[in-house]
Amino acid sequence: MPELPEVEVTRQGITPYLVDQTVVDLVVRNASLRWPVPELAKQIIGQTIRQVRRRAKYLLIDTDAGTSIVHLGMSGSLRILPHDTPVEKHDHIDLVLANGRILRFNDPRRFGAWLWCQLPDEAHPLLEKLGPEPLTDAFNVNQLAAALAGKKKAIKLCLMDNHIVVGVGNIYANEALFAAGIHPEAEAGKIDIERLTVLVAEVKQILAHAIKQGGTTLKDFTNAEGKPGYFAQKLHVYGRGGETCTLCGNLLSETRLGQRTTVFCSICQPR
Ligand SMILES: [Zn+2]
């Protein structure tokens, strides 16, 4: 599943081909995504794309008339292709540009979304309650400590809660807690400020590194062969239950927390 780094790398990859381009057509072959794709053609054809932003895992393609809100879901991908590229299975939407290229949305499992928003997008129901972006200064130890105050929930569940901070999916929650030496089931409200400071720094560092790495491994958004795969990263705990800890050699423990696989080292991450 694309996580925040993959979505950010997608944004960086497609932006140069979209900005300042006029939309000449919108082809929707299958509107049955996670939510029905609205009738957009009237609003979007003739508009010029101003910028491509990201909020959490949503890509926001701005025009003067409104914003396309795109989510890759479980299996979605976006590519920039020549307009006459043959259509393949699961190619649900093409945004056709004046420069002869298309932005093509492919999504085998159809948990992705393509919506439209004329409001200021911060007011859109999908976006308005989101917490701060992890890579901005709005996510900091004071904000996190305030958000966790009095919370008895496990820290890992809080870290994956979009109201507290966005874009920290299961992989990165596992990795950041390992890097910070915090047990994933530790009671969120009882973690001291020193350890939260380390946790904030690790979340930022791990996501920034993943984006940087993705920029080198997933740079080709203009290739019709092979859809962009989501990049494999060097992980210390995620997917390594029962293997040895990279720091101490202890066997990593695996449990379920909020229905998500949780891997940790009981020595390096004491309760
Ligand atoms: Zn260890």
Side-chain angles (χ1 to χ4, degrees):
M1 174 173 20
E3 298 260 3
L4 183 145
E6 287 88 350
V7 178
E8 176 59 22
V9 170
T10 298
R11 189 191 71 77
Q12 293 173 6
I14 64 176
T15 291
Y17 300 94
L18 296 185
V19 171
D20 295 335
Q21 287 301 313
T22 302
V23 176
V24 295
D25 200 3
L26 179 79
V27 179
V28 179
R29 295 184 196 87
N30 186 345
S32 304
L33 301 182
R34 178 168 182 184
W35 299 289
V37 179
E39 293 279 344
L40 290 181
K42 274 206 184 73
Q43 287 101 310
I44 204 167
I45 291 173
Q47 290 292 315
T48 299
I49 296 170
R50 300 299 180 191
Q51 58 177 345
V52 183
R53 294 174 294 137
R54 179 187 57 74
R55 180 75 174 102
K57 295 205 293 181
Y58 296 97
L59 287 167
L60 307 173
I61 303 172
D62 288 336
T63 68
D64 293 339
T67 297
S68 290
I69 302 178
V70 180
H71 196 286
L72 301 177
M74 305 286 285
S75 58
S77 63
L78 289 166
R79 284 172 301 157
I80 302 283
L81 299 169
H83 71 93
D84 55 357
T85 305
V87 174
E88 290 182 24
K89 209 173 175 188
H90 312 303
D91 285 341
H92 303 311
I93 300 177
D94 289 345
L95 189 67
V96 185
L97 307 168
N99 63 2
R101 295 177 192 259
I102 55 175
L103 176 70
R104 178 164 282 176
F105 180 77
N106 178 288
D107 186 3
R109 296 185 63 184
R110 292 192 283 116
F111 283 104
W114 191 307
L115 300 171
W116 178 254
C117 170
Q118 278 172 315
L119 306 164
D121 50 70
E122 302 78 36
H124 190 277
L126 287 172
L127 305 180
E128 67 173 345
K129 298 213 171 76
L130 293 176
E133 285 290 325
L135 292 170
T136 66
D137 293 341
F139 176 57
N140 60 64
V141 70
N142 295 329
Q143 174 267 336
L144 183 62
L148 300 181
K151 283 217 158 54
K152 294 194 190 312
K153 265 199 331 189
I155 181 63
K156 181 168 177 252
L157 297 178
C158 293
L159 208 51
M160 293 177 66
D161 179 345
N162 269 337
H163 301 97
I164 294 175
V165 57
V166 300
V168 185
N170 193 36
I171 296 173
Y172 299 103
N174 276 289
E175 294 295 316
L177 288 165
F178 174 75
I182 297 173
H183 195 290
E185 291 174 326
E187 195 174 314
K190 288 198 173 155
I191 301 172
D192 62 47
I193 206 86
E194 286 74 21
R195 294 207 299 161
L196 289 184
T197 304
V198 176
L199 181 59
V200 167
E202 292 294 349
V203 166
K204 289 176 187 283
Q205 199 272 331
I206 287 168
L207 290 174
H209 178 74
I211 290 166
K212 198 171 162 201
Q213 191 193 16
T216 59
T217 61
L218 185 59
K219 63 188 166 201
D220 194 357
F221 287 88
T222 61
N223 184 354
E225 311 300 321
K227 294 152 183 71
Y230 298 109
F231 35 100
Q233 296 167 65
K234 183 171 167 18
L235 301 171
H236 291 278
V237 286
Y238 181 81
R240 297 193 64 241
E243 296 179 34
T244 52
C245 172
T246 53
L247 288 182
C248 75
N250 179 38
L251 290 187
L252 296 172
S253 308
E254 182 169 319
T255 182
R256 305 284 284 178
L257 197 51
Q259 282 103 52
R260 306 301 298 273
T261 303
T262 300
V263 183
F264 60 98
C265 174
S266 56
I267 293 176
C268 297
Q269 295 167 266
R271 272 181 189 270

